[in-house]
Amino acid sequence: MIFMAMDSLRIGSGYDIHKFLEIMLFENTAKKLYLGGVLIEGHIGVAAHSDGDVVLHSLTDALLGALSLPDIGVLYPDNLKSTKEISSIEIIKYAYGLVKEKGYRLVNADITIITQTPKISAYKEQMINSVSSVLNVDMSRINIKGKTKEGLDSVGKQKAIEAFSVCLISSE
Ligand code: CDP
Ligand code: ZN
């Protein structure tokens, strides 16, 4: 058995990236873009087994990582038919449930979305509202911000969107 130090504070970090769909494919499948559980109307979607929400996926891994729990890909393998098109809200609720089962709660999470589009500032409040209500925590505990990649590499060329999350959890 792995010894788990019973610290009252634990920190976690998570990362995720998803590829934007090609325009042709987008028209064929009409897959939508979800960020923090918010539907970004009219924006091209991403390739994913689930709904491909990079915000919720990176935050899920941060929450799990804070307690050294198995990561999102272990809990929800992308080759399972039963979880195809699963909502990332369901995934993060399950992960946060595991954290709460161990006696911890979220102190705060800071999330950075890196993408050329959409402009995150336009959706920031909506996303913070959405994530905090999914986790049932106060809005002041969640921060979300956007950053471009200044046109550099795959994210800068609008081929993908990525997110980094850091969270602090407490047992007190
Ligand atoms: O100014 P700097 O080069 O540091 O950053 P940037 O990537 O050009 O982004 C400038 C500002 O735009 C960010 O600080 C965010 O407030 C906002 N932004 C956003 O809301 N959504 C994005 N997808 C990218 C940037
Ligand atoms: Zn993902």
Side-chain angles (χ1 to χ4, degrees):
M1 202 178 96
I2 298 169
F3 172 74
M4 167 76 84
M6 280 297 113
D7 315 294
S8 58
L9 289 174
R10 308 260 316 179
I11 192 168
S13 81
Y15 165 77
D16 197 27
I17 183 166
H18 281 270
K19 226 168 103 174
F20 283 124
L21 293 170
E22 307 286 330
I23 300 289
M24 290 297 289
L25 206 60
F26 172 62
E27 281 170 357
N28 287 341
T29 63
K31 191 138 182 169
K32 299 183 167 70
L33 180 66
Y34 286 92
L35 293 174
V38 174
L39 171 64
I40 311 299
E41 297 265 13
H43 200 284
I44 196 158
V46 293
H49 178 71
S50 66
D51 60 15
D53 190 323
V54 288
V55 172
L56 295 186
H57 291 183
S58 67
L59 183 54
T60 297
D61 263 353
L63 289 166
L64 293 167
L67 285 177
S68 307
L69 291 166
D71 67 66
I72 189 170
V74 176
L75 297 181
Y76 291 90
D78 63 8
N79 54 5
L80 276 187
K81 266 207 178 124
S82 58
T83 58
K84 194 151 170 51
E85 305 300 333
I86 190 176
S87 162
S88 302
I89 291 177
E90 194 181 318
I91 296 175
I92 198 166
K93 277 190 167 165
Y94 177 70
Y96 192 44
L98 297 179
V99 169
K100 285 190 289 186
E101 257 175 36
K102 301 238 177 239
Y104 287 80
R105 63 175 179 86
L106 179 65
V107 177
N108 74 307
D110 189 16
I111 304 159
T112 305
I113 306 168
I114 304 147
T115 191
Q116 299 298 127
T117 67
K119 188 91 178 156
I120 300 306
S121 51
Y123 298 93
K124 185 185 165 110
E125 247 188 72
Q126 230 184 313
M127 286 181 199
I128 290 175
N129 223 317
S130 164
V131 174
S132 58
S133 77
V134 163
L135 299 179
N136 196 23
V137 299
D138 194 85
M139 279 177 72
S140 64
R141 297 192 183 278
I142 308 290
N143 186 48
I144 298 180
K145 56 195 180 292
K147 199 83 182 168
T148 67
K149 211 135 194 187
E150 300 284 347
L152 299 165
D153 71 37
S154 59
V155 171
K157 305 284 179 239
Q158 296 188 36
K159 292 191 182 305
I161 179 166
E162 58 187 354
F164 289 93
S165 292
V166 174
C167 74
L168 186 70
I169 58 171
S170 170
S171 60
E172 284 172 355

